[in-house]
Amino acid sequence: MAARLVSPGDVRRARRTLSGVSVTTALESSRHLSALVGAPVHLKCENLQRTGSFKLRGAYVRIAGLSPRERAAGVVAASSGNHAQGVALAASLLGVRATVFMPEGSPLPKVAATRGYGAEVRLGGQALDEALAAAREHAERTGAVFIHPFDHPDIVAGQGTVGLEILQQCPEAATVVAGMGGGGLVAGIAVAVKGLRPDVRIVGVQAAGAAAYPPSLAAGHPVSLDAPVTMADGIRVGRPGEVPFRIVEELVDEVRTVTEDELAAALLLCLERAKLVVEPAGASPVAALLADPTAFEGPVVAVLSGGNVDPLLLQRVLRHGMAAAGRYLSLRLPLTDRPGALAALLAVLSDADANVVDISHVRTDPRLGLTEAEVELHLETSGPEHCAQVTQALRAAGYPVMS
């Protein structure tokens, strides 16, 4: 039974432990999502938590529960970002030495932040599995306590404090939606919420390319994925944890998956409509709402689990999200190579309210005749209908659009 692993009482004790440490994050209403769903939708902003994600909660509870002897030996963790920062800050606050193994190629801002919180960072391996192996070896060799990112009762109890806050801030909630990788967050929320309101529906969301829970639940035990692939590194986990799996199996009502395009569109919506910087994993609940808005009974609380997104990834994801939403238009047009031809083309685009993001004017390609030129355009539009209007305006002006 899940109650033997983590109980509502464990979550309440975790909340007392976190008093003065974690922030009670805001619950913001979303008019846009509420209109789509047909019921109130609120965003639980764990992207505004200390270290930029919910991970501090579980890490602090776990380390605070260590004996004096264990604390003296130090702690070790492996993570590509959020868990690393949570462990680093928690250990610093508790006066415990921390070593964090991170894969090579981890986002530089996350590496710098982890060091800034006081942990010793060691980079190695190309994947998180290699970092985990190195951390476990370090623990065996030095006696340091390995702090798992999700597979421990204290971690789950700490993450469950998010659920207690949700019920205080939105006592009428009917559905709570949270992203899931290993399952620690959604399991903790389920224990906390179901302990007080068994009628509330708990929905977990995974990236389609890293969805280990559906086959695991079908098999009745954790199943490993060979190569989970998703830009949402916060939920890119190839195997559920044993502790959260049993809780999810008993208490989580549904697990949904979302595509990369849906994640990108959700991240873009959070930035544009809610003015919140959210990483792809943190946007996964919003992606689920966008993908099937009528499937959720309201009021709905969507947990934005983190906001630690690499600026370069953010730039790529935003452009991808705009393309997926039909807000980019790429075209190739032949032009007569004469003075003023390009200016005339740009005037047509200006009249059509299209924003030129990038332009390439080719005049010397061997394919082109002596009086010919070619233009490749990347345009920003307001959506699919505007794309069609821009294309129609160009054709009406006599330009053969090649797209």
Side-chain angles (χ1 to χ4, degrees), residues 140-172:
E140 292 176 2
R141 178 169 46 83
T142 65
V145 179
F146 177 64
I147 307 298
H148 198 283
F150 49 82
D151 201 11
H152 192 279
D154 289 346
I155 296 287
V156 173
Q159 320 306 27
T161 59
V162 175
L164 293 181
E165 290 179 14
I166 287 172
L167 289 185
Q168 280 196 329
Q169 295 168 315
C170 185
E172 71 279 13

Side-chain angles (χ1 to χ4, degrees), residues 1-8 10 153 243 247 250:
M1 293 289 290
R4 296 178 183 174
L5 297 172
V6 181
S7 70
D10 294 328
V243 171
I247 298 172
E250 181 180 340

Side-chain angles (χ1 to χ4, degrees), residues 99-290:
T99 303
V100 178
F101 287 82
M102 304 181 75
E104 292 179 9
S106 295
L108 293 179
K110 293 185 178 183
V111 174
T114 303
R115 286 184 173 135
Y117 288 126
E120 178 188 351
V121 174
R122 300 188 185 183
L123 298 174
Q126 300 301 314
L128 182 58
D129 286 345
E130 295 175 76
L132 282 167
R136 290 184 185 280
E137 187 278 330
H138 176 88
E140 292 176 2
R141 178 169 46 83
T142 65
V145 179
F146 177 64
I147 307 298
H148 198 283
F150 49 82
D151 201 11
H152 192 279
D154 289 346
I155 296 287
V156 173
Q159 320 306 27
T161 59
V162 175
L164 293 181
E165 290 179 14
I166 287 172
L167 289 185
Q168 280 196 329
Q169 295 168 315
C170 185
E172 71 279 13
T175 306
V176 177
V177 190
M180 57 194 302
L185 174 63
V186 76
I189 289 173
V191 170
V193 171
K194 295 282 191 179
L196 294 169
R197 288 274 314 281
D199 58 305
V200 174
R201 186 170 180 80
I202 308 295
V203 179
V205 182
Q206 293 207 285
Y213 263 93
S216 297
L217 291 168
H221 58 83
V223 172
S224 298
L225 298 180
D226 290 336
V229 177
T230 176
M231 64 180 168
D233 59 334
I235 53 175
R236 190 173 57 224
V237 176
R239 180 184 173 88
E242 295 285 347
V243 171
F245 175 79
R246 296 304 171 193
I247 298 172
V248 168
E249 187 177 44
E250 181 180 340
L251 298 179
V252 172
D253 297 285
E254 182 183 8
V255 174
R256 288 176 167 255
T257 62
V258 293
T259 67
E260 299 298 284
D261 283 351
E262 289 162 350
L263 285 168
L267 189 150
L268 180 62
L269 183 144
C270 289
L271 187 62
E272 286 192 322
R273 297 301 184 101
K275 315 306 178 192
L276 293 168
V277 176
V278 181
E279 61 191 273
S284 59
V286 175
L289 295 178
L290 292 176

